[in-house]
Amino acid sequence: MDAIVQALTEQHRELDDLLAGLDADGWARPVPSCPGWSVADVVLHLAQTDELVVASVDGGFPAAAARITGEPVDGTVDDQVGVMVERERGAPGPEVHARWRAAASAVRALLAESDPRRPMPWVVTDLPARTMATTRLAETWIHTHDVADAVGAALVPGDRLRHIARLAVRTVPYAFIRAGLDPPAGPVAARLTAPDGSTWQIGDEDATTTVLGPALEFCLVAARRLDPAASTLTAEGPDADDVLRLVRTYA
């Protein structure tokens, strides 16, 4: 748990550094990977979802979300977060930045003091605190890349990717169920090339299906920011194609 919270802290710092120097035009820049959203909207979304983590502990996710949307929202999770952003957008960039900083600090404090197995209410079901921490890491990492792309900044991948890749592998069965498929024929693993050139074995070496390739590409595919067909990833096993198509790091 300490390692994941530390990784989340580092990820927050990377995004904070990107935002610190933005002027009004920078905050207003469109984010290609989030159609219809500006940089300010992406950061507002992160602030809202971090706030939801803390608020959901006491009242559950639906009640916490309703306090932002004003009423229940039908549709997908994407529909819900879209409404949340639409109803609160418009504040100046520095104000959004300050709100996100406060929300990020609060979620780190909550996770740091939580037992890794503590159940935390979330979108579909309760998540263990350790999984919640990794989910927040993954989402912040995704949107840090979105902001970097929008403002033309380059990011250097690091060891934080290992936590994100592990989350993606562990949630493959959920991704299959969400897609209406039977569970994979057997265990799924990934053998990935880390940013420093070493190899990360995530999951059983004798897994039925194994994904191979760069860790960065695997995490981008799981984040829906890279088409697996445009990556250098390969997979072996009976569920190879479905794993690459469905792997994800979010609800």
Side-chain angles (χ1 to χ4, degrees):
M1 190 68 174
D2 289 347
I4 297 173
V5 173
Q6 178 59 35
L8 179 60
T9 302
E10 293 168 0
Q11 189 59 60
H12 284 160
R13 186 179 301 122
E14 183 176 53
L15 177 56
D16 197 31
D17 288 345
L18 276 178
L19 301 175
L22 293 184
D23 57 14
D25 289 341
W27 282 100
R29 285 191 184 184
V31 177
S33 48
C34 302
W37 281 12
S38 66
V39 169
D41 290 336
V42 169
V43 179
L44 171 61
H45 164 65
L46 283 174
Q48 289 174 330
T49 47
D50 279 340
E51 290 165 355
L52 280 174
V53 173
V54 178
S56 295
V57 170
D58 292 328
F61 181 85
R67 288 202 289 272
I68 295 177
T69 60
E71 58 187 34
V73 177
D74 295 328
T76 67
V77 173
D78 288 341
D79 293 332
Q80 294 176 40
V81 300
V83 169
M84 288 167 58
V85 168
E86 182 179 347
R87 292 186 179 176
E88 293 199 317
R89 64 161 42 113
E95 185 176 318
V96 176
H97 191 183
R99 177 175 172 178
W100 169 72
R101 275 178 166 169
S105 178
V107 85
R108 288 197 308 270
L110 171 67
L111 293 167
E113 68 184 17
S114 296
D115 184 287
R117 295 162 294 184
R118 175 185 181 179
M120 291 186 164
W122 200 230
V123 179
V124 177
T125 187
D126 288 0
L127 298 178
R130 179 177 175 178
T131 302
M132 179 67 81
T134 312
T135 299
R136 298 314 302 154
L137 169 62
E139 182 164 17
T140 308
W141 176 80
I142 291 168
H143 289 312
T144 301
H145 272 264
D146 294 337
V147 170
D149 288 344
V151 302
L155 301 177
V156 179
D159 288 345
R160 293 192 296 277
L161 292 180
R162 187 164 193 163
H163 298 294
I164 299 168
R166 184 179 290 114
L167 175 68
V169 170
R170 292 185 62 190
T171 55
V172 163
Y174 165 74
F176 272 54
I177 292 170
R178 194 176 187 277
L181 301 180
D182 291 332
V188 175
R191 189 156 58 251
L192 305 172
T193 303
D196 66 2
S198 63
T199 299
W200 291 342
Q201 176 65 40
I202 300 174
D204 193 338
E205 291 186 3
D206 298 322
T208 306
T209 299
T210 299
V211 178
L212 305 99
L216 177 59
E217 289 189 11
F218 180 68
C219 292
L220 289 171
V221 166
R224 297 295 195 270
R225 295 303 188 268
L226 176 64
D227 186 331
S231 75
T232 62
L233 297 173
T234 60
E236 304 169 345
D239 295 302
D241 291 342
D242 284 335
V243 168
L244 285 177
R245 179 173 62 91
L246 298 173
V247 65
R248 60 194 299 121
T249 57
Y250 59 95

